Amino acid sequence: MNKETDAGDSRSDPVRGSAEFAHVQAKAQARHIEKEAFQEGWRASASTIPAVLAWGVVSGMAMVKSGMTIWQSLAMTLTVYAGSAQFAVLPLLAAHTPLIVIFLTAMIVNLRFVIFSAAVAPHFAHLPWYRRVWYGYFNGDISMGFFPQRFPAHTVHQPAGKLGFFEAVCYPGWFAWQIGAIVGILLASQIPESWNIGFAGTLALIAIMIPMIINRAALAGVVVSGAVAVVAINLPYRLGLLLAVVIGMAAAMLADKFIVKEKE
């Protein structure tokens, strides 16, 4: 009865009817934009899937060979989703290191994600907190390679297409990592180390990174971060990785400022 009354009200009130129609059209248009953005994000990031899959296999093998049971390894890969942290804490787990040390080690290794989240967070500030937490779980190296390039800082107040693009970059990568890790966990004793799966994954990531060096600022960031990573490789807790990220980003920003001044 109420539905009939509402329908009658809409027909009798042209202003309300047109407002509802405009609202439905706006929602349909928004869904279309997100769908197209998802397809764009998938096309941009699909080439990363083999590398992510390979590194997932390596992480799965490493967990089992460190002494963890299959169920412990499955629980870790499904909840942690942080390859560098996993590799860093596995020797500590095997040595029965106190839990607080293991936790702090993982936190230090993953400090770069604070930088990544700070870069992406303003684009999703309009979302409720629980959705931001959800997307934060998936945010990582691959998304930081593609999202800021597609949506620079000046697009912060333009939300259209961002969720679709971000999901397309993150979700397939998550599934690829988990599939690879599960394969590595279940077949750890069957896959010989001579296959060098991790090295193949590294080569694949390099092949992906090279086309992303689109200007001199990006080149400066890559060169500097690579050099710092090599020089600081012996720092404890893989702090060299964090140092390389911070100094590489600073180098890219400085180079960009110099380039802008040259143009002026």
Side-chain angles (χ1 to χ4, degrees):
M1 185 69 181
N2 290 337
K3 290 183 178 179
E4 292 177 1
T5 304
D6 291 342
D9 290 344
S10 296
R11 287 193 296 269
S12 62
D13 187 349
V15 175
R16 179 182 173 186
S18 61
E20 289 179 353
F21 179 72
H23 179 67
V24 171
Q25 272 195 321
K27 290 182 68 175
Q29 180 65 17
R31 284 195 298 270
H32 178 70
I33 291 173
E34 296 301 332
K35 182 178 178 180
E36 287 192 334
F38 188 94
Q39 293 172 349
E40 180 187 355
W42 167 247
R43 288 192 299 269
S45 62
S47 59
T48 66
I49 297 300
V52 174
L53 186 69
W55 272 107
V57 173
V58 173
S59 75
M61 293 172 60
M63 284 185 281
V64 174
K65 291 184 177 182
S66 71
M68 296 177 68
T69 66
I70 289 178
W71 291 111
Q72 287 173 337
S73 302
L74 289 172
M76 185 177 192
T77 190
L78 291 172
T79 55
V80 176
Y81 189 48
S84 297
Q86 287 173 252
F87 288 120
V89 304
L90 285 178
L92 302 180
L93 289 170
H96 303 289
T97 305
L99 185 60
I100 184 64
V101 176
I102 294 172
F103 178 77
L104 290 175
T105 300
M107 288 289 291
I108 291 170
V109 171
N110 282 343
L111 279 176
R112 72 186 190 281
F113 291 123
V114 176
I115 301 172
F116 295 170
S117 296
V120 174
H123 296 276
F124 299 129
H126 61 287
L127 297 176
W129 68 267
Y130 54 86
R131 291 190 67 185
R132 282 179 276 143
V133 170
W134 170 259
Y135 288 123
Y137 168 74
F138 292 97
N139 190 29
D141 302 288
I142 302 298
S143 56
M144 274 304 297
F146 291 99
F147 189 86
Q149 189 177 28
R150 175 61 181 83
F151 296 102
H154 63 80
T155 66
V156 164
H157 302 295
Q158 302 168 18
K162 291 180 178 178
L163 287 179
F165 188 90
F166 188 84
E167 290 172 356
V169 172
C170 294
Y171 290 172
W174 184 87
F175 279 109
W177 177 270
Q178 301 301 346
I179 291 170
I182 292 170
V183 169
I185 291 167
L186 298 180
L187 301 179
S189 61
Q190 308 297 322
I191 302 175
E193 294 184 4
S194 60
W195 285 12
N196 288 326
I197 295 175
F199 183 64
T202 301
L203 291 178
L205 287 174
I206 291 174
I208 294 162
M209 180 186 68
I210 290 173
M212 297 176 68
I213 304 173
I214 56 175
N215 52 41
R216 286 182 290 170
L219 178 61
V222 168
V223 171
V224 171
S225 61
V228 172
V230 172
V231 172
I233 193 170
N234 292 320
L235 287 179
Y237 307 115
R238 299 202 177 192
L239 283 173
L241 183 61
L242 174 64
L243 195 63
V245 170
V246 173
I247 297 179
M249 291 178 65
M253 293 172 65
L254 285 173
D256 189 56
K257 287 184 177 181
F258 282 122
I259 293 169
V260 171
K261 286 182 178 179
E262 283 182 4
K263 290 181 179 179
E264 292 176 352

